[in-house]
Amino acid sequence: MAAAPLEFYFDFYSPYGYLASARIDEIASRHGREVIWRPFLVGATFALTGARPLVDIPLLGDYSLHDMERCAREQGVAFQLPENFPKAALAPSRAFYWLVDSQPETARQLARAVYHATFAEGRDGTAADLVADLAEPLGVDRQQLLEGIQRPEVKERLKQETEAAVARGVFGSPFIFVDDEPFWGNDRLEQVDRWLATGGW
Amino acid sequence: MAAAPLEFYFDFYSPYGYLASARIDEIASRHGREVIWRPFLVGATFALTGARPLVDIPLLGDYSLHDMERCAREQGVAFQLPENFPKAALAPSRAFYWLVDSQPETARQLARAVYHATFAEGRDGTAADLVADLAEPLGVDRQQLLEGIQRPEVKERLKQETEAAVARGVFGSPFIFVDDEPFWGNDRLEQVDRWLATGGW
């Protein structure tokens, strides 16, 4: 039996989620694993944990921005914080779940494109029009996408996915499960790598 | 001119501070650097950042304890959370600053002993009597220590060190400066190692 896929929970407006998205597939693949991508709304966990967006917090905000830029440079990926950060990333998350059952690979390509536009180019990745623009080159009809993300069942799907994430103990982005072992943060990916290599400790 | 020492800010009741203390000197030494240890009271930063002790936070609390134990196992150090965690670590911090100007090496040995008693043995490292017990084998008169940590100038010293840490941008434990470059967290020590090796990026 093939080893279970990793589960990669992320919020589309999470800088560290973006950084993790740039390397999670490669790490998993090196150990013969697939990755299931699962966007959710990290803001929904803030009421439980009392957390606030990092960049809004005195001292921590300045440090976090510095740390994001330093981590991005070390990973060799472009980084730019979008204006009006943070926001609830409803449109890209709904677009992902609208697509994922019928076109899983396209959904993941769209997720990558949204992350790139948001954190490499500093654009507003929460805007439905931008999400539709990014989906078009992937063969998705933009009008169908804009209608799809307004459907009650698609909105409900994102709500349920977010609730299921919280029920499982997810409280931040990125959050990765390796065979039910939880890892929070882009800074835990080296540990994920070693966990996959050794089977845990 | 020799390269500047690293500055290692830590709170005596910080589990991740304990984990960092077990390897910071070795990392620095590999790159020909000394380390200045600087205890402070991380609780003093909570009013600014709105942070709370990790273990008190829903979801995050359970995960953090799991993460601390997993990180300790990977580092190969014993780990046990003391009862009545967390507390303000006044006695060991004051004892450190009472000692450090005249006996810097003894102060550091005492810091290691307090961290070991607290997080390897789960004892109450905030208790003045325990701090005095741990100082005795290092050649420190326990009565002098117990009197010393009650002196107004020693109390004032810890207050000033804590204020200076916050003024410098320190908001968590451990917090390390490498030539004014700030790193927060035990999970940044691999990055500190690479920063020292490469001169930064």
Side-chain angles (χ1 to χ4, degrees), chain A residues 48-49 52 57-58 60 63 66-67 70-71 73-74 171 181-184 187-188 191 194-195 201, chain B residues 48-49 52 57-58 60 63 66-67 70-71 73-74 171 181-184 187-188 191 194 201:
Chain A
L48 268 170
T49 60
R52 286 179 292 163
I57 303 174
L60 221 160
Y63 173 83
H66 183 77
D67 183 63
R70 184 172 60 196
C71 288
R73 286 199 307 275
E74 190 178 24
F171 55 81
E181 183 72 18
F183 294 91
W184 171 41
D187 51 22
R188 287 295 180 278
Q191 222 175 32
R194 295 191 292 267
W195 192 271
W201 53 83
Chain B
L48 267 171
T49 60
R52 286 180 292 164
I57 302 174
L60 221 161
Y63 173 84
H66 183 77
D67 183 64
R70 185 172 59 197
C71 288
R73 285 199 309 275
E74 189 178 23
F171 55 82
E181 183 72 18
F183 294 91
W184 171 42
D187 50 23
R188 287 296 179 278
Q191 221 175 32
R194 295 191 293 268
W201 54 83

Side-chain angles (χ1 to χ4, degrees), chain B residues 3 6 11 33 36 40-41 92 97 102 110 115 132 144-145 156 169 172 200:
Chain B
L6 274 60
D11 182 293
R33 301 275 193 131
I36 298 174
F40 76 108
L41 299 178
Y97 285 115
S102 57
L110 179 59
Y115 257 154
Q144 282 186 12
L145 181 144
E156 183 60 26

